[in-house]
Amino acid sequence: MSTIPLDYETLRLIWWLLLGVLLIGFAIMGGRDLGVGTLLPFAARTDAERRVLLNLIGPTWEGNQVWLILGGGAIFAAFPSLYAVSFSGFYLAMMVILVALILRPVGFKFRGKVEDKRWRTAWDWGLFIGGFVPALIMGVAVGNVLLGAPFHLDHTMRIFYTGNFFQLLTPFALLAGLVSVGMVVTHGAALLAGRTEGIIAERARSYGIWAGLATLVLFALGGVWISFMSGHVITSVIDPNAPINPLNKSVELVPGGWLSNYSTYPWMIAAPVLGFGGMALAVFGLAARRKWLAYLASSTGIFGIVSTAGLSIFPFFLPSSSVPNSGLTLWDSSSSHMTLFIMLLVTAFFLPIIVMYTGWVFRVMRGPVTSDSLGKNPNAY
């Protein structure tokens, strides 16, 4: 261990932050595509208008998926216990997300192959499903993290998941899902308002304003609900440098326990402030036709909302609703000291390349997308 310049606690915290960056990166970059897909049948009414939306996100959506892939890879390599529980316990939910996401590339490629209104309308609704369903279920997953998942570990560290897919669809989890849908629709609408023109931009502004207001109300309702909900609180002494053992702790359910971090770490209040402030400013930007103010503000709102969930449950990753002591935390579900360090070196090399490449792509693809511009592009969808 002496050959590693960073101690175990520091590496664990760094990887917790990196995982948060990757998930927030997907929520912002991939969320705009999900939002545009959800708005496709509504903000665009004709075939020409819908082609504008498809060609707005079509060239970049695959690159935006990289954030989701990196997030899943980080969980697999840095927090294998979390990967084992979540990817097996939530297997059906993840398959539903995967099937919905598969509709997007198929829809982009197949929609324009046949000049038939029914054919294209069917694929338009497929693209809607590819945007709405992942946003909803990912939010439902976050809601279930706050509620706790029905799993436990035995003395040999074997995992026993005792729930099913439909048990995940509780009222609070569905509320969290609607917050997720609302924030990505607001974000997608802000993108459309900034990079399209005419009636499409006007419809997008209208939908975005209503989605932003709904997000604010639902996010506030979720905060009130959490204040009465029992949260998981570690009552034993934790050694951040200790070997991995999820059972080596005591956990109690405390009413309003998920709010305790905000008194312990007052700076965390910045997250919900950014969530509310960003979404409110996005609504203002859309109403005032301040294109990029709305987009930057909705990005800030998403950052704040996702950060609020992550900071509220810290240091938990996935609490257990059936046996609280089995809940997985940052300190007892990570990979080894050496693994985290080697992965950090690899990430320090590749992540800046991904960020620079993404920035270059969006610089090349900047500018408005219109029906006229599509007529000049033989490769347009």
Side-chain angles (χ1 to χ4, degrees):
M1 294 297 182
S2 60
T3 60
I4 300 177
L6 296 173
D7 61 39
Y8 206 3
E9 176 184 7
T10 301
L11 281 170
R12 283 168 161 169
L13 283 170
I14 289 173
W15 273 102
W16 175 76
L17 289 171
L18 281 173
L19 179 59
V21 168
L22 296 174
L23 296 180
I24 292 171
F26 173 71
I28 294 175
M29 303 305 296
R32 53 184 248 156
D33 301 330
L34 299 179
V36 171
T38 304
L39 287 169
L40 178 63
F42 310 106
R45 308 286 172 79
T46 67
D47 182 67
E49 289 175 355
R50 290 176 179 176
R51 287 189 64 219
V52 170
L53 269 64
L54 295 177
N55 284 276
L56 176 60
I57 62 173
T60 57
W61 77 268
E62 289 177 294
N64 292 335
Q65 295 293 107
V66 169
W67 297 98
L68 179 62
I69 296 168
L70 290 176
I75 294 174
F76 172 77
F79 305 104
S81 299
L82 174 62
Y83 180 89
V85 175
S86 59
F87 279 66
S88 57
F90 298 157
Y91 183 78
L92 182 55
M94 291 185 179
M95 287 301 298
V96 173
I97 292 175
L98 181 60
V99 170
L101 289 176
I102 288 173
L103 288 174
R104 287 203 293 174
V106 178
F108 281 126
K109 297 297 183 183
F110 282 11
R111 182 187 184 276
K113 299 297 183 182
V114 179
E115 292 190 15
D116 180 81
K117 183 178 180 180
R118 291 173 299 178
W119 171 269
R120 295 190 174 185
T121 300
W123 283 116
D124 290 338
W125 284 105
L127 289 165
F128 164 80
I129 292 171
F132 176 81
V133 170
L136 178 69
I137 295 185
M138 288 176 185
V140 168
V142 173
N144 277 282
V145 168
L146 289 161
L147 291 169
F151 75 94
H152 65 275
L153 308 174
D154 68 6
H155 67 283
T156 64
M157 297 299 164
R158 289 185 301 170
I159 300 167
F160 295 88
Y161 188 86
T162 56
N164 61 58
F165 174 77
F166 295 101
Q167 288 177 335
L168 302 177
L169 304 178
T170 62
F172 177 78
L174 290 172
L175 172 64
L178 292 176
V179 172
S180 175
V181 171
M183 72 182 189
V184 301
V185 169
T186 306
H187 196 40
L191 176 68
L192 291 177
R195 292 195 57 199
T196 62
E197 299 174 350
I199 190 63
I200 299 176
E202 290 303 315
R203 292 194 194 110
R205 287 191 187 96
S206 178
Y207 285 118
I209 289 170
W210 285 108
L213 292 173
T215 303
L216 288 168
V217 173
L218 293 170
F219 188 43
L221 178 60
V224 173
W225 198 323
I226 287 174
S227 68
F228 293 97
M229 182 191 300
S230 293
H232 295 234
V233 176
I234 298 174
T235 56
S236 57
V237 176
I238 293 293
D239 180 2
N241 290 291
I244 302 165
N245 185 358
L247 297 178
N248 192 26
K249 64 179 179 295
S250 299
V251 177
E252 291 184 3
L253 291 175
V254 178
W258 290 136
L259 301 180
S260 61
N261 276 345
Y262 295 99
S263 57
T264 306
Y265 312 103
W267 60 269
M268 288 186 178
I269 197 65
V273 169
L274 287 174
F276 282 112
M279 281 297 155
L281 194 57
V283 170
F284 169 78
L286 287 167
R289 292 176 170 78
R290 307 282 285 274
K291 298 180 179 179
W292 297 113
L293 172 64
Y295 183 78
L296 293 174
S298 62
S299 300
T300 302
I302 291 175
F303 175 88
I305 291 172
V306 177
S307 296
T308 298
L311 292 172
S312 296
I313 66 171
F314 179 84
F316 281 93
F317 277 133
L318 187 61
S320 170
S321 59
S322 53
V323 182
N325 288 2
S326 293
L328 302 177
T329 74
L330 169 65
W331 312 122
D332 55 33
S333 60
S334 68
S335 293
S336 67
H337 193 177
M338 181 64 74
T339 300
L340 294 181
F341 179 69
I342 293 173
M343 287 174 52
L344 182 61
L345 295 180
V346 175
T347 303
F349 177 77
F350 283 106
L351 187 59
I353 295 175
I354 294 171
V355 172
M356 289 187 291
Y357 174 75
T358 301
W360 177 78
V361 168
F362 279 96
R363 176 175 174 78
V364 171
M365 302 303 299
R366 70 188 184 279
V369 179
T370 64
S371 296
D372 290 340
S373 67
L374 297 183
K376 301 174 184 178
N377 182 5
N379 299 312
Y381 290 109

